[in-house]
Amino acid sequence: KTLIIQENQISCKGMTTLAQAFWINSTVEELNAEGNSIGIDGANALAVALTRNQGLTKLYLKRNNFRDRGAAMLAEGLLIG
């Protein structure tokens, strides 16, 4: 169960909307969202979703402009979830 949305430029807004869906849908196990410019806000939204969604076990997020701060948020979300 993989969701592939790489190189679609969904940006922060798109990732925030997608992350909200992950709060209630845990069937997706892999997310490939490489190259989408999700930024810090998108990374934060996904991190919050990860605290509630234990189904997502593989994330592919390179080329998304969230840098170290966003990576730290995602790591924390994974640890809590």
Side-chain angles (χ1 to χ4, degrees):
K1 298 167 185 146
T2 302
L3 177 60
I4 301 171
I5 54 170
Q6 70 186 54
E7 306 297 336
N8 279 294
Q9 298 303 313
I10 64 169
S11 71
C12 296
K13 185 176 180 179
M15 182 52 75
T16 300
T17 301
L18 185 61
Q20 290 171 351
F22 287 140
W23 283 34
I24 56 173
N25 182 336
S26 60
T27 59
V28 175
E29 297 169 355
E30 293 183 39
L31 172 64
N32 184 335
E34 294 178 356
N36 277 296
S37 302
I38 65 171
I40 295 287
D41 292 336
N44 185 53
L46 183 56
V48 171
L50 290 171
T51 66
R52 306 178 88 159
N53 183 323
Q54 296 180 356
L56 269 173
T57 58
K58 294 181 183 176
L59 302 173
Y60 304 95
L61 298 170
K62 61 184 170 182
R63 298 185 319 276
N64 271 297
N65 305 323
F66 52 71
R67 303 186 188 264
D68 292 345
R69 184 172 164 212
M73 291 175 184
L74 289 164
E76 185 174 341
L78 287 168
L79 288 173
I80 293 171

